[in-house]
Amino acid sequence: MSDGEERACEGPDSMYVKLISSDDHEFIVKREHALVSGTIKAMLSGPGQIAENETNEIKFREIPSHVLSNVCEYFTYKAQHTNSSTEVPDFPVSPEISMELIIAANFLDC
Amino acid sequence: MDVFLMIRRHKTTIFTDAKESTTVYELKRIVEGILKRSPEDQRLYKDDQLLEDSKTLGDCGFTNQTARPQAPATVGLAFRVNDEMFEQLHVEAFSSPPELPDVMKPQDSGSTANEQAVQ
């Protein structure tokens, strides 16, 4: 039954990747969404066998879950509206997290 | 129309999208592909309301308006514990953001940061 099933989070061709926040929350997003971030893209597809390339899991020791959840929402938002001709709604950012979000965005190159 | 969801259980959050016409059972299949638990071992919830397999996401109240990419709707997930029981629905909250520093708090315009020590 499940012999030919694609293993979702394993192997370089998996469709989803797992991003882990500093407080151990696991965020599973589509691989193509995560590649919006230049840093994640480099970690997952760079030459050589980096550990992240094998397991498709990346641990972010500095990014807490309330920031990483916004980052994941941004990935979906960007993927949805890139090359879209419809009106693009604003992406909401609350002031409490804006500082940390800027730091994370800088690190993630997105 | 596309609906954007966060499927959450304990400390795991899955960001995925689906159609309003996708059924709850098909969503469980997506979860199966990621977390390796069969649909029979899953229960999906909207707030505290258990969702039936045959209903579509639109029927359950997930629409293009309530489930947008920058603000996805939350779906609770609980796994089967044994033949008779499912675990309680439990979702770990995200961390809290730190308190805003004073300079960023909304203030009346015109106030400056000048402080004069009064001795």
Side-chain angles (χ1 to χ4, degrees):
Chain A
M1 271 185 298
S2 51
D3 287 329
E5 210 174 280
E6 201 178 291
R7 320 262 316 186
C9 264
E10 294 158 22
D13 290 332
S14 66
M15 204 167 115
Y16 289 87
V17 294
K18 188 188 283 190
L19 310 176
I20 306 174
S21 69
S22 59
D23 50 343
D24 291 324
H25 267 268
E26 300 178 345
F27 295 87
I28 300 173
V29 298
K30 286 191 182 161
R31 192 186 185 84
E32 60 182 86
H33 289 348
L35 297 181
V36 163
S37 155
T39 310
I40 295 180
K41 186 173 174 181
M43 284 179 179
L44 292 177
S45 53
Q49 292 297 312
I50 313 180
E52 291 89 357
N53 206 356
E54 302 265 328
T55 64
N56 293 304
E57 288 183 9
I58 304 182
K59 167 104 193 198
F60 294 103
R61 279 188 291 262
E62 301 82 20
I63 306 183
S65 54
H66 66 275
V67 175
L68 197 47
S69 64
N70 263 68
V71 171
C72 292
E73 286 166 18
Y74 177 73
F75 289 157
T76 317
Y77 168 82
K78 173 122 197 263
Q80 172 77 358
H81 294 294
T82 301
N83 300 325
S84 160
S85 53
T86 58
E87 190 184 329
V88 179
D90 284 339
F91 184 75
V93 178
S94 50
E96 289 87 8
I97 66 161
S98 57
M99 282 283 295
E100 294 170 297
L101 200 55
I102 291 176
I103 296 171
N106 185 45
F107 173 72
L108 293 172
D109 186 26
C110 65
Chain B
M1 294 297 291
D2 288 332
V3 293
F4 297 89
L5 308 171
M6 285 194 290
I7 304 176
R8 301 193 58 197
R9 170 190 176 264
H10 295 196
K11 281 193 154 187
T12 303
T13 305
I14 303 174
F15 279 81
T16 189
D17 56 84
K19 302 278 181 221
E20 275 186 35
S21 54
T22 305
T23 63
V24 172
Y25 186 77
E26 285 164 358
L27 194 58
K28 289 183 178 180
R29 290 297 238 169
I30 293 177
V31 174
E32 180 186 17
I34 299 171
L35 297 178
K36 310 289 183 272
R37 297 298 293 264
S38 78
E40 291 74 36
D41 289 346
Q42 299 174 35
R43 270 189 178 168
L44 293 178
Y45 294 81
K46 178 176 195 280
D47 301 321
D48 282 328
Q49 168 89 26
L50 178 61
L51 305 177
E52 288 173 27
D53 286 1
S54 54
K55 291 247 159 45
T56 67
L57 297 183
D59 287 340
C60 298
F62 297 110
T63 66
N64 188 246
Q65 298 302 309
T66 59
R68 289 161 296 154
Q70 64 273 27
T74 299
V75 177
L77 170 65
F79 285 147
R80 183 187 291 276
V81 172
N82 56 40
D83 282 343
E84 285 138 24
M85 279 182 37
F86 275 84
E87 63 184 3
Q88 278 283 73
L89 178 63
H90 176 69
V91 174
E92 284 286 331
F94 292 143
S95 45
S96 317
E99 180 150 343
L100 274 183
D102 285 343
V103 294
M104 283 183 74
K105 285 189 181 155
Q107 290 174 0
D108 295 330
S109 60
S111 71
T112 63
N114 282 342
E115 279 183 351
Q116 294 194 337
V118 176
Q119 292 185 346

